[in-house]
Amino acid sequence: MKKTAAAMALAVVLAGCRAKDVPEEKRLKIGVSVYDSYDTFISELMSDFNAAVAGSENISLEINNAAKSQQTQNKQTEAMITGGCDVICINLVDRTSPRKIIDLAQKNNVPVIFFNRELVEEDLMQWEELYYIGADAEQSGVMQGELAAEAFQDMSLDKNGDGIIQYVILEGEVNHQDAIVRTEKCVDTLIEKGYQVDKIASITANWSRSQAQSRISVLIESNQSEIELIMGNNDDMALGAIDAYKASGTDRADWPVIVGIDGTADGLKAVADGEMYGTVFNDQKGQAQAMAALAVELASQKNTSKSEREKYIRLPYRKVTKDNIRDYLD
Ligand code: BGC
């Protein structure tokens, strides 16, 4: 996979941290809590994070699964802090409820890196040692709309020939910043590109492949054969739609255009196999490396002064189709 300049720079920073910034005598402890370790994107991000800190004898890593409970995550945070973590990385369960975590961290002077599930800016500004690593949700929605617009340059995909794109959106969790913004921006972009669109359904499938499959299966069974485009807020849900079409026995030529977001291993494979028209790459490796570099820096309290550090780090999204898929397959 090609690395962006930013990702390469971060990789270098991390390598630098490992080699010389961590004093030999001090063992650094990094604690992590993820909202759900069964989430495909998060589990891929965590394996990249593991890889980024692996190999350093001076770092010990503790990873907890909050299993979709904010209460559990609050308890885990308390345990990580009393257990001596120098820095904690939090993938919030409820991005509107970071208060307890922030209070605990501030009281004990333990920096926090929030990632992927974005808290509101007002909360991030509560204390100088709070940071966020992720990506710009709007960019992913716009890019997904652009991918769909590009696909429909071939008007034979307008199956009923009415000049209007009949579409379905598969939405992630209600209240997740990515679900809200992607849903809005992908459609806005299609319209800005001059397409007329007609929403058949907007279905919440909570980022889940199996939920998406069962919901799309119902649509197929209820004879919604007019669906021409399915936009999944993430790859897993787009893959669920593909599963539904396969299970229904619908001729491949009659499938709608399907687009996703993330570039997970299975998502990229579906693009390579021509089952998904395209996806928007959500740079989990870049995010993991940025988080590892910042965590090491915060834990060792070295280098830049607090006031010089960026509170937000956002890695850029990239469009992936069959034309550039080779750059993304290892
Ligand atoms: C990803 C989803 C993931 C969600 C978890 C999003 O940025 O695109 O695949 O389920 O984050 O918070």
Side-chain angles (χ1 to χ4, degrees), residues 35 39 41-42 116-117 176 178 182 207 234 262 282:
Y35 93 102
D39 179 293
F41 177 77
I42 296 299
N116 168 261
R117 298 164 74 89
H176 192 299
D178 289 340
R182 288 171 183 172
W207 307 120
N234 75 346
D262 275 344
N282 189 359

Side-chain angles (χ1 to χ4, degrees), residues 39 41-42 45 116-118 132 134-146 167-173 175-190 202 206-207 231-237 259-264 279-284 287 314-318:
D39 179 293
F41 177 77
I42 296 299
L45 191 151
N116 168 261
R117 298 164 74 89
E118 187 170 347
Y132 178 73
D136 173 12
E138 177 167 338
Q139 188 186 35
S140 56
V142 169
M143 286 184 171
Q144 187 176 55
E146 288 171 355
Y167 72 92
V168 171
I169 296 216
L170 287 165
E171 294 188 43
E173 291 159 281
N175 287 336
H176 192 299
Q177 82 282 349
D178 289 340
I180 299 164
V181 178
R182 288 171 183 172
T183 298
E184 186 191 322
K185 287 292 159 188
C186 63
V187 179
D188 284 358
T189 304
L190 261 177
S202 194
N206 296 305
W207 307 120
M231 294 187 281
N233 278 176
N234 75 346
D235 279 355
D236 260 12
M237 294 187 292
V259 286
I261 293 178
D262 275 344
T264 59
T279 187
V280 179
F281 188 69
N282 189 359
D283 187 357
Q284 75 267 81
Q287 291 167 34
R314 294 186 198 276
L315 277 283
Y317 283 101
R318 284 172 272 156

Side-chain angles (χ1 to χ4, degrees), residues 93-119:
V93 176
D94 177 353
R95 69 187 192 94
T96 63
S97 299
R99 209 45 270 172
K100 282 217 168 78
I101 292 174
I102 294 173
D103 287 348
L104 275 166
Q106 188 170 8
K107 206 161 79 196
N108 294 280
N109 200 25
V110 176
V112 186
I113 305 172
F114 292 99
F115 64 102
N116 168 261
R117 298 164 74 89
E118 187 170 347
L119 58 173

